[in-house]
Each structure stands twice: as C-alpha cells, then as structure tokens.
C-alpha cells in the first residue's frame, strides 16, 4: 500500500498547498481534454476560462439528463461525453430509481486511485501494524454475472486491481 500510494500522496500533498489553484488546473485539464466531444461542443468548452464560465455553460442535471448519451456510449459510440474511450460500465444498485450504468475510463479510474490511495497510505501510516503481514483491500461493487453492453463493453470491472491498480494486486 505504501509504495503504491507514494506518487498519488505526493500529488495530493502538493494540491493541498493551494487547493483552489489545484482544482482550477484539474477542471481546465478536463475541459481542454474534452472540448472536442459532443458534450464539450454543446457547452462551448473551448471558451471556458474558469469555474464561473463552467457554471454558466454546464447546467446541473440528474442522471436522466445523461441517459441518452450513456445509451449511445453503451452501443459503442465514442466522443460523446468524454474523449477517453469507455472501458467498462458499473451498474448501480438501483434502490432509488432503477439500475443505472456509470461509464468508466482509464482516466476516471486513475482519478479514483489518486483519491483513494492517499487515504490508504494515511491509514497504514497511522496504524503500521495493519501492514505487518499481507493486507487485503477490496472495493465492493454490485456483484452479478459477467455481462456486456450490445457493443461488448463490460458491465462491471473484473477485479479490485482494476479499481486500485495492479501494484496492489498481490
């Protein structure tokens, strides 16, 4: 855990020096990377310079506001919401309003790891005894039989390593 978390922890600690600037830079990277997607063109990402511009250009919406685009991605269409290829979908539990597909990209999983690994590092640092032997870390998505969308995109990630990275696999 400590070795796998070193780089994400350094990035997190750097971001803590100026959180507002770090968040601005992250938002602008995401906007620039996705400016040429359908969603980016619809919301004129090319003209967004700051969070205020973003708030004006991109209205808050529920999952229903993305449902058609997600269905098109599930059918195999690229460049709809993200410039990154969707590698899998996660299906929500569906307790409130039915099951929903959430698209995952490599970039999204890297961001997930960047958020989770510093927490694991902090836990291991504060309680070193938990790393004295083998450590088991698990993500608990909804379990189901392996499935895929009509275009062959997997629904669900097959291993915890897909979420946490290969370095935590063994």
């Amino acid at each position: 855990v400590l070795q796998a978390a070193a780089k994400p922890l350094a990035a997190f600690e750097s971001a803590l020096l100026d959180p507002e600037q770090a968040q601005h830079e992250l938002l602008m990277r995401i906007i620039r990377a996705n400016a040429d997607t359908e969603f980016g063109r619809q919301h004129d990402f090319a003209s967004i310079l700051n969070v205020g511009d973003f708030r004006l250009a991109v209205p808050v919406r529920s999952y229903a506001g993305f449902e058609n685009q997600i269905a098109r991605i599930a059918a195999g269409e690229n460049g709809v919401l993200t410039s990154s290829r969707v590698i899998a979908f996660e299906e929500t539990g569906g307790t409130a309003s039915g099951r929903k597909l959430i698209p995952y990209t490599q970039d999204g999983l890297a961001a997930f790891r960047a958020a989770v690994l510093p927490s694991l590092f902090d836990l291991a640092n504060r309680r070193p005894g938990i790393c004295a032997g083998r450590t088991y870390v698990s993500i608990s998505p909804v379990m189901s039989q392996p499935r895929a969308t009509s275009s062959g995109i997997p629904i669900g990630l097959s291993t915890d390593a897909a979420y946490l990275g290969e370095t935590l696999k063994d």
Side-chain angles (χ1 to χ4, degrees), residues 6-147:
K7 189 174 178 181
L9 177 64
F12 178 71
E13 287 175 338
S14 176
L16 288 177
L17 298 174
D18 189 349
E20 185 175 0
Q21 181 62 30
Q23 290 178 357
H24 173 77
E25 289 173 7
L26 175 60
L27 175 64
M28 296 313 296
R29 273 196 312 273
I30 292 168
I31 288 169
R32 297 293 165 249
N34 295 290
D36 199 34
T37 64
E38 179 182 298
F39 189 81
R41 289 188 301 272
Q42 286 174 347
H43 296 88
D44 198 17
F45 278 14
S47 70
I48 294 175
L49 301 176
N50 55 50
V51 70
D53 292 346
F54 181 78
R55 286 178 180 146
L56 290 173
V58 183
V60 174
R61 63 189 83 178
S62 68
Y63 182 87
F66 295 99
E67 206 160 10
N68 290 335
Q69 290 99 331
I70 291 172
R72 289 170 42 212
I73 294 167
E77 195 172 334
N78 292 309
V80 179
L81 294 174
T82 177
S83 60
S84 297
R85 185 176 67 81
V86 171
I87 59 166
F89 286 92
E90 194 64 71
E91 190 171 52
T92 65
T95 55
S97 59
R99 295 182 184 270
K100 299 170 188 73
L101 292 179
I102 307 299
Y104 277 41
T105 64
Q106 285 296 352
D107 293 339
L109 287 171
F112 177 81
R113 285 190 286 278
V116 171
L117 290 177
S119 294
L120 293 176
F121 179 91
D122 184 60
L123 177 63
N125 214 22
R126 291 175 188 257
R127 302 282 190 252
I130 68 167
C131 292
R134 293 181 62 88
T135 303
Y136 178 73
V137 178
S138 179
I139 302 297
S140 300
V142 175
M143 299 304 291
S144 64
Q145 293 295 321
R147 299 185 353 233

Side-chain angles (χ1 to χ4, degrees), residues 1 3-5 8 87 106 109-110 112-113 117 134-135 137 139 157-170:
V1 170
Q3 183 179 353
I87 59 166
Q106 285 296 352
L109 287 171
F112 177 81
R113 285 190 286 278
L117 290 177
R134 293 181 62 88
T135 303
V137 178
I139 302 297
L157 295 169
S158 58
T159 66
D160 290 327
Y163 295 96
L164 297 173
E166 290 297 317
T167 55
L168 290 180
K169 184 171 140 181
D170 296 324

